[in-house]
Structure formats: structure tokens, C-alpha cells
Amino acid sequence: MEEKAFGLNDVVEMKKQHPCGTNRWRIIRMGMDIRIKCEGCGHSVLIPRREFSRKMKKILVKHEE
Ligand SMILES: [Zn+2]
């Protein structure tokens, strides 16, 4: 399966929204694990890269270098 080209500071939509009702997450750390932060409530979660790729639906805002 092709890996979606996501990067630091991109805003993404996940397949499941956060319980706070927001489905906008900013990627704040890249690595073996990806840390994303909910744009609605500021809660952040750490997800293994493979799992993130599976659960991410699309990139909403691509961060410009
Ligand atoms: Zn939230």
C-alpha cells in the first residue's frame, strides 16, 4: 500500500473524529511514532506510524516548507 505523503505541521483528517467533535489534527512530531494534536481542544496523541497511515483519511492543509 502506498504511504500518504504527510509531513510535519500538516493538518489532517482522521477516519474517526475526536470525541470533542473536531476532525482536524496537526502533526506535531514525526518519527517512528507520529504525534498529532487536535485543533479543537488541544489534546495530543501518539500513534505508531503504520497505524497513523491506516487511520488518516486525508491531508487538509499541506504545510509549506
Ligand atoms: Zn479534540
Side-chain angles (χ1 to χ4, degrees):
M1 200 181 105
E2 190 186 328
E3 188 168 299
K4 300 177 195 96
F6 52 86
L8 193 63
N9 289 317
D10 288 355
V11 178
V12 301
E13 187 178 310
M14 303 300 282
K15 284 174 183 159
K16 268 189 178 174
Q17 70 173 23
H18 194 235
C20 77
T22 302
N23 199 345
R24 284 175 68 88
W25 299 83
R26 183 175 296 273
I27 300 174
I28 58 170
R29 200 185 101 181
M30 295 282 287
M32 288 296 289
D33 297 318
I34 308 290
R35 184 173 286 278
I36 54 174
K37 187 175 173 187
C38 176
E39 293 267 272
C41 65
H43 179 79
S44 73
V45 288
L46 196 62
I47 310 177
R49 199 183 186 101
R50 286 181 68 116
E51 195 182 327
F52 176 81
S53 295
R54 246 185 317 113
K55 290 185 173 175
M56 198 252 288
K57 196 166 158 192
K58 64 180 177 187
I59 296 167
L60 295 173
V61 183
K62 186 77 191 143
H63 180 73
E64 302 297 330
E65 295 292 312

